[in-house]
Amino acid sequence: MSDSPTDSSRATPSRIRGLEQVDRLSVPLPHGTEVTTRVERMASGGRRIPQGVVGRVVRAHDGGFDVQIVGVGEVWFARDELIPRRPGQVQFARRREAAWAALTPCVVLETRVGSHAWGLASEGSDVDVRGVFALPLPWSLGLMEAPADLVSADGSTTYWEVRKTVEQALRADPNTLETLFVPGARALDVIGEWLLAERDAFVSKALFGSFGRYAMSQLDKLTRSQRLAEHRDLLLSWLCEDPAPDLDEVARRLAVVSPRSATSEENALLAAKTYVKQLYRSLWDQGLLTANDFAALTVYARGGGQRPPSARELRPKNAYNLLRLVSTAAGWLRHGEPTFEATGALKARLLDIKAGKVPLEDVLRDAEAMAPELEEARRDSRLPEHPDFARADRLLRRVGEEVARRWVTKAPGPLGRDAPEPPAMEWRDSE
């Protein structure tokens, strides 16, 4: 629906109200919410954090929140010391909290994933939970778009709606297939039992790309990001010279000190320019630059502003998981069934990577060394080329019919007579 060019008074979904006038000091702040600080705070080491700094919520505890601030780390703030940064995020937080409260009783399948499922957990490891929920029939009707996922306030638990789960599984999404195939997956409803019974329909050789090739490409990106971080302080110091060097000169210098060789001088310069662009785009995304360009990067360097963390502080936490994905893909393709728990030498290596004892360059080399094994496993695999779309379609129809039956007959439970009310839609005329 869109506004008519001849009738500006028509109501449209863009004029939904009810969430627009909200108290930004009382709305929930789920994991990942971008916030602005309302008070000055002293971080560890006596570093002053001024009012108005932007950060992201990473967890809730003790009546407040740990907020990740670039260049500082995690700092605790009370709820009334933070406000969501944008109006859209206020609305998002309200909607997400309301959907979580209303629909978690509709969860039909649940499992513990992450390091606990991989045999790589330590005493301080987070417990990550994923699962699937079904939408009560009224939530799939009307103009309001129903939520396709539910996320807990601390970000540790995620549930996907049944249709989204099936669509992701058909694409061989690693997180979805892991949720369905990890040995601890348990059904909380007969609909969850159906999902587990039909999960083989989603498996195909497509996991070669979604698990293996994806993981290796992400490892390569992590390696490039770390290389950039290692040279960041040096690059910023160059920009403080008088006169400040231009982009071509910075790229020339960076190409000389880059640890990885290029096939030609031209390619080395191109790669160096790409690194510089990645840097100012990243700083722009973090709110540290006034514009997304090289000129703003120069101003930032010469202004002595808040610096991002050094390369040693980065230690990408997910590098070990990406290498694990490559190993899981090779095993699944070769044997026709998955093994998620790491053992033996692989487990020891993954734990070293997780602890930051292995340089990313070495992790990438590990993955590249596994590439021939992955290719061979795909070539010889007995898995089908494509998932069973017809079987998946029958599953979705069966679930839809069951949800409708429970609602129409007012069967006991959250999908029947105890179903939560869908959110009301309010309209306002255009001004």
Side-chain angles (χ1 to χ4, degrees):
M1 184 182 295
S2 60
D3 286 346
S4 166
T6 59
D7 183 3
S8 62
S9 66
R10 288 181 62 186
T12 69
S14 64
R15 299 188 178 92
I16 298 170
R17 60 180 173 180
L19 291 176
E20 294 163 0
Q21 302 301 321
V22 294
D23 180 5
R24 292 198 293 170
L25 292 178
S26 64
V27 298
L29 300 177
H31 172 82
T33 302
E34 192 174 70
V35 293
T36 302
T37 62
R38 302 178 67 232
V39 296
E40 182 178 305
R41 179 61 47 80
M42 298 300 292
S44 60
R47 182 169 182 176
R48 174 179 168 272
I49 305 174
Q51 176 185 348
V53 168
V54 175
R56 290 190 182 275
V57 172
V58 293
R59 70 182 60 84
H61 68 93
D62 299 332
F65 301 87
D66 285 334
V67 177
Q68 179 69 41
I69 298 175
V70 174
V72 177
E74 295 182 7
V75 182
W76 185 88
F77 288 87
R79 174 62 190 87
D80 62 1
E81 295 174 339
L82 301 168
I83 56 174
R85 191 180 181 201
R86 298 184 180 93
Q89 289 195 291
V90 176
Q91 298 174 16
F92 166 74
R94 292 278 306 261
R95 288 194 299 268
R96 186 157 84 166
E97 182 194 45
W100 174 269
L103 294 174
T104 48
C106 303
V107 171
V108 299
L109 184 149
E110 188 176 73
T111 189
R112 188 169 66 171
V113 295
S115 58
H116 288 275
W118 309 331
L120 300 171
S122 60
E123 185 176 339
S125 294
D126 295 332
V127 177
D128 298 312
V129 176
R130 291 198 201 102
V132 185
F133 71 97
L135 278 173
L137 184 63
W139 286 68
S140 61
L141 308 173
L143 291 172
M144 287 289 286
E145 183 177 357
D149 47 46
L150 307 173
V151 183
S152 63
D154 63 3
S156 65
T157 302
T158 299
Y159 301 115
W160 301 299
E161 189 271 329
V162 173
R163 174 177 289 276
K164 181 174 183 178
T165 302
V166 170
E167 290 174 347
Q168 290 178 160
L170 288 170
R171 296 196 301 269
D173 172 67
N175 290 331
T176 309
L177 291 181
E178 178 182 6
T179 299
L180 295 174
F181 279 88
V182 161
R186 61 191 182 98
L188 307 180
D189 182 282
V190 67
I191 294 175
E193 294 176 3
W194 296 345
L195 282 165
L196 293 179
E198 301 294 337
R199 60 189 177 182
D200 288 339
F202 307 127
V203 180
S204 70
K205 290 182 180 179
L207 61 85
F208 167 80
S210 63
F211 278 66
R213 285 301 186 191
Y214 164 79
M216 286 192 285
S217 69
Q218 291 301 305
L219 280 167
D220 187 52
K221 288 181 180 179
L222 282 177
T223 305
R224 292 199 304 269
S225 296
Q226 189 182 51
R227 279 205 310 278
L228 177 61
E230 289 170 348
H231 298 304
R232 180 165 42 205
D233 291 342
L234 180 60
L235 188 153
L236 293 175
S237 70
W238 292 339
L239 294 178
C240 292
E241 297 174 0
D242 285 317
D246 60 14
L247 176 58
D248 289 336
E249 173 60 17
V250 167
R252 186 192 65 76
R253 297 185 190 180
L254 190 60
V256 172
V257 299
S258 178
R260 287 176 73 97
S261 59
T263 56
S264 66
E265 182 178 347
E266 182 180 0
N267 287 339
L269 288 172
L270 179 60
K273 285 187 177 180
T274 300
Y275 298 156
V276 177
K277 291 177 181 178
Q278 288 174 344
L279 175 57
Y280 66 65
R281 286 170 184 166
S282 173
L283 296 177
W284 163 252
D285 289 340
Q286 297 170 40
L288 298 177
L289 300 189
T290 57
N292 186 16
D293 56 32
F294 181 76
L297 178 64
T298 302
V299 172
Y300 166 78
R302 301 175 76 85
Q306 175 185 341
R307 291 294 195 249
S310 68
R312 291 185 179 181
E313 297 174 35
L314 290 177
R315 298 192 184 278
K317 186 178 179 180
N318 62 341
Y320 83 108
N321 179 40
L322 293 171
L323 189 62
R324 184 194 65 83
L325 281 177
V326 177
S327 175
T328 300
W332 203 339
L333 287 164
R334 184 183 304 108
H335 303 298
E337 57 185 27
T339 299
F340 293 101
E341 185 171 353
T343 58
L346 175 63
K347 179 175 181 177
R349 183 64 166 176
L350 293 176
L351 288 174
D352 283 345
I353 295 169
K354 182 181 181 182
K357 299 178 180 178
V358 182
L360 274 178
E361 291 277 352
D362 290 350
V363 179
L364 180 60
R365 277 191 283 269
D366 286 349
E368 290 172 342
M370 295 171 67
E373 177 187 357
L374 182 65
E375 294 280 357
E376 181 182 357
R378 181 187 183 279
R379 185 177 62 250
D380 300 336
S381 178
R382 293 171 295 173
L383 294 179
E385 289 290 336
H386 306 288
D388 192 335
F389 290 97
R391 189 173 161 194
D393 181 70
R394 290 194 296 270
L395 171 62
L396 272 183
R397 292 180 183 277
R398 186 183 187 188
V399 171
E401 290 168 359
E402 175 65 11
V403 168
R405 182 194 69 78
R406 295 191 199 183
W407 171 253
V408 171
T409 63
K410 299 304 182 209
L415 297 177
R417 69 184 181 201
D418 303 317
E421 289 287 334
M425 173 172 282
E426 297 183 28
W427 302 79
R428 73 180 180 190
D429 293 335
S430 61
E431 299 176 355

